[in-house]
Amino acid sequence: MKPTRLALTALAALTLTAINAEGQKEPAKAEKPDKVEKAEKTDKEAPKETKEGKEGKDAKDSPPVTRSATVTIGGKPIPYEVTTAKIMLKEDEGKPRASVFHVTYTRTGLSDAERAKRPVMFAFNGGPGSSAVWLHLGMLGPKRVDIPGDGTQAPPPPAQVIDNPESILDVCDLVFIDPVSTGYSRVEKDVKPNEFHGVEEDVNSVGDFIRRWITEHDRWSSPKFLLGESYGGIRAAGLANHLQSRYGMSLNGVVMLSSVLDLRTLGGGPGDDIVYPVFLPVYASVGHFHGKLKGDRNALFEEARKFAFGEYATALLRGTELSSDERAKLADKLTSYSGVDASIWLANDLRLSPSQFEAELLRKEHKVIGRFDARVAWGATSEAELEPDYDPSYSLAQGAFSTAMLTYLGRDLGWKEDQPYEILTGKVNPWNWNSSRGATNLGSRIAKAMRDNPHLKVMVMCGHSDLACPPDGIAHTFRHMFELPEPQRGNVSFTYYDAGHMFYLNPPDRVKAREDLVKFIGAAK
């Protein structure tokens, strides 16, 4: 069964929008080295070229381009090399299948022994259909997009790239992967793209890339980590099991950032009500942020969670058996945990989808709130719309990250191609969900990986304002991993942040995320 409409709406902006980043406004301004590089020198020197590569070529003809630079993290200068390259995936008999574009950051100034034991993290975004640009220039890498304030306002174009003192490069090498058909990754001639566009196909190809990278860089002795955002959580769960069972590569840690493992928690079929308790605690956090609910946010979130998976879930199971009085009392409680009028809850049979919530919460203020970050509230385009026709939190980030990535790749890293860099593409559709008997759920994969590798640790990073992948969706999945042995359950930890899906756009959250990641890597390596 394919994901339902409700599930697809939660992932729509990551799966159905094809973006040609080279078509953004004012690319020439963004690429002027005299103006932009002067701004960067106030933070740190721009990367210096050490090796040169060809432009617009495939993996066979284009050698890696490596440049050196320094970033200040925690008050200390961290020297590093950044290598832009492609790895060619091949069939067993050696026939080329696809080239995978990636950017690698390695700390320099270390001995061979130190380098061999230094942790390495493979990071990817989700979609499916997204490049790794969001994690690369938003959170983990030594450079980031300059987003003003608390991350709820768009920067004036063209967006600038600045140093990122919250990078984790001081403790861990980083590899940003663009899966096939995203970024500059492409299939070879006479190879069908759909051979890579599916849950299993994607896990196999990204897994092959990781094996190749580890081997070519002599890093089998290094502690290994995965970090996946959004659909990247599904990919990470599949990879943890695949790398272990196929190649004997045991991981030290897996980070699932604003992730989903079971698509049913984003919207099941008719009569499947799990989505509504899953989203209610986030409704409470968002209602509190916009002043619709009073009191302590964290206490309210926990109260809403208890109600959602207790009284509310029981009531949903009863369906039409609820009396009018019971429905009215429940609607009042739902209002106290969402900020949306009881009449709206009653009109929708006590079931309010995230899209409806985005339209209803600030309807009187003539605003809609963001799906990826519900703190963002921009003007509604219609007073009568039942669901928003755009996501202001995605509009905020799309142009800025697109311009910044093309500027950074071409100007700073020295890599240009004639083909468009697919920041986010719909060319991966139709995606093979490989779920003929139900919604896609890879919870059992990460459970199996943890069962067979009792040292494997998992950290789940959740945003209080995330209406795309709410915290209690993945929490519900972990609570139902009955195949996970009791001792390994203690290897799973959850951390929470104020903002939404890309909570790292909010400076305090980005600082906390670095602290949490450094602690996690140190404990798991």
Side-chain angles (χ1 to χ4, degrees), residues 10-89:
L11 294 173
L14 285 183
T15 57
L16 303 179
T17 305
I19 300 174
N20 178 352
E22 291 178 333
Q24 297 299 322
K25 294 182 179 181
E26 300 185 341
K29 290 185 180 180
E31 294 179 0
K32 285 185 179 179
D34 54 346
K35 182 177 181 180
V36 177
E37 287 184 358
K38 286 181 182 178
E40 287 199 343
K41 287 179 181 178
T42 62
D43 296 290
K44 213 60 185 174
E45 61 181 338
K48 296 179 181 178
E49 179 180 345
T50 57
K51 298 177 185 177
E52 186 58 73
K54 298 180 180 179
E55 297 180 357
K57 304 296 183 180
D58 59 24
K60 300 188 297 294
D61 304 320
S62 185
V65 177
T66 300
R67 295 188 172 183
S68 62
T70 302
V71 64
T72 299
I73 301 175
K76 298 179 180 179
I78 306 298
Y80 66 89
E81 284 189 345
V82 51
T83 299
T84 314
K86 291 183 177 181
I87 283 182
M88 180 67 71
L89 304 185

Side-chain angles (χ1 to χ4, degrees), residues 149-454:
D150 64 355
T152 60
Q153 297 297 322
Q160 305 298 307
V161 178
I162 61 176
D163 274 11
N164 180 20
E166 285 80 49
S167 172
I168 61 171
L169 184 57
D170 57 329
V171 300
C172 182
D173 290 339
L174 299 164
V175 184
F176 295 97
I177 306 171
D178 291 342
V180 175
S181 297
T182 74
Y184 284 137
S185 300
R186 298 291 188 273
V187 297
E188 291 298 296
K189 184 179 180 180
D190 299 327
V191 177
K192 296 180 180 179
N194 62 10
E195 293 180 16
F196 299 87
H197 299 166
V199 176
E200 302 302 334
E201 297 89 338
D202 177 71
V203 165
N204 289 336
S205 61
V206 176
D208 190 23
F209 166 86
I210 292 174
R211 175 192 65 85
R212 287 279 307 280
W213 190 97
I214 289 289
T215 300
E216 292 183 10
H217 291 79
D218 192 22
R219 299 298 292 271
W220 279 92
S221 62
S222 295
K224 304 169 190 67
F225 294 82
L226 304 179
L227 191 154
E229 179 179 327
S230 195
Y231 176 86
I234 289 178
R235 179 181 290 130
L239 282 169
N241 180 61
H242 175 72
L243 291 170
Q244 194 165 280
S245 60
R246 176 66 179 87
Y247 303 122
M249 185 186 295
S250 296
L251 300 173
N252 295 77
V254 172
V255 181
M256 298 181 177
L257 187 155
S258 301
S259 291
V260 61
L261 286 174
D262 179 1
L263 288 186
R264 179 172 160 264
T265 61
L266 300 183
D272 187 349
D273 289 327
I274 186 59
V275 62
Y276 304 107
V278 158
F279 274 89
L280 186 62
V282 171
Y283 293 174
S285 292
V286 174
H288 182 275
F289 177 84
H290 289 288
K292 300 296 182 179
L293 304 176
K294 304 301 181 182
D296 180 77
R297 194 276 310 276
N298 291 340
L300 184 66
F301 180 81
E302 291 302 328
E303 289 175 17
R305 173 179 275 172
K306 183 178 180 180
F307 170 74
F309 292 95
E311 184 180 353
Y312 183 42
T314 301
L316 292 175
L317 286 172
R318 292 180 58 195
T320 58
E321 292 181 355
L322 291 172
S323 68
S324 296
D325 286 345
E326 289 174 314
R327 283 168 51 86
K329 290 179 181 178
L330 283 165
D332 287 340
K333 287 187 176 181
L334 288 166
T335 295
S336 71
Y337 291 128
S338 67
V340 174
D341 289 346
S343 61
I344 302 297
W345 283 101
L346 288 170
N348 286 278
D349 295 320
L350 307 177
R351 294 158 173 83
L352 201 64
S353 74
S355 295
Q356 291 172 298
F357 179 74
E358 291 156 25
E360 293 295 343
L361 184 67
L362 300 181
R363 182 178 292 280
K364 294 178 182 178
E365 291 83 354
H366 311 293
K367 293 180 178 180
V368 296
I369 59 176
R371 177 181 302 280
F372 290 108
D373 192 340
R375 299 176 309 145
V376 181
W378 289 5
T381 57
S382 170
E383 296 297 322
E385 61 188 7
L386 298 178
E387 299 180 354
D389 60 1
Y390 81 114
D391 176 0
S393 59
Y394 178 64
S395 299
L396 180 158
Q398 173 191 344
F401 275 79
S402 300
T403 296
M405 187 61 174
L406 268 296
T407 300
Y408 182 55
L409 285 177
R411 184 199 65 197
D412 293 349
L413 303 189
W415 189 286
K416 294 182 180 180
E417 297 198 21
D418 293 335
Q419 63 180 341
Y421 183 87
E422 299 288 356
I423 298 285
L424 195 57
T425 181
K427 293 180 180 179
V428 300
N429 295 315
W431 190 260
N432 178 16
W433 293 99
N434 192 33
S435 52
S436 59
R437 293 185 294 175
T440 299
N441 183 352
L442 266 68
S444 61
R445 305 285 185 91
I446 190 65
K448 183 176 184 296
M450 296 179 71
R451 180 200 69 189
D452 295 341
N453 175 11

Side-chain angles (χ1 to χ4, degrees), residues 81-117:
E81 284 189 345
V82 51
T83 299
T84 314
K86 291 183 177 181
I87 283 182
M88 180 67 71
L89 304 185
K90 300 178 180 180
E91 296 179 356
D92 290 343
E93 62 272 19
K95 181 181 177 181
R97 298 184 65 220
S99 58
V100 176
F101 181 78
H102 59 286
V103 181
T104 298
Y105 294 90
T106 55
R107 183 171 178 173
T108 55
L110 304 175
S111 67
D112 290 343
E114 290 174 321
R115 186 181 68 85
K117 295 182 179 180

Side-chain angles (χ1 to χ4, degrees), residues 150-152 258 297 372-375 462-466 496-506 509:
D150 64 355
T152 60
S258 301
R297 194 276 310 276
F372 290 108
D373 192 340
R375 299 176 309 145
C462 306
H464 274 291
S465 304
D466 186 355
Y496 293 86
Y497 308 87
D498 293 333
H501 202 68
M502 297 188 294
F503 54 76
Y504 42 82
L505 298 186
N506 181 34
D509 285 339

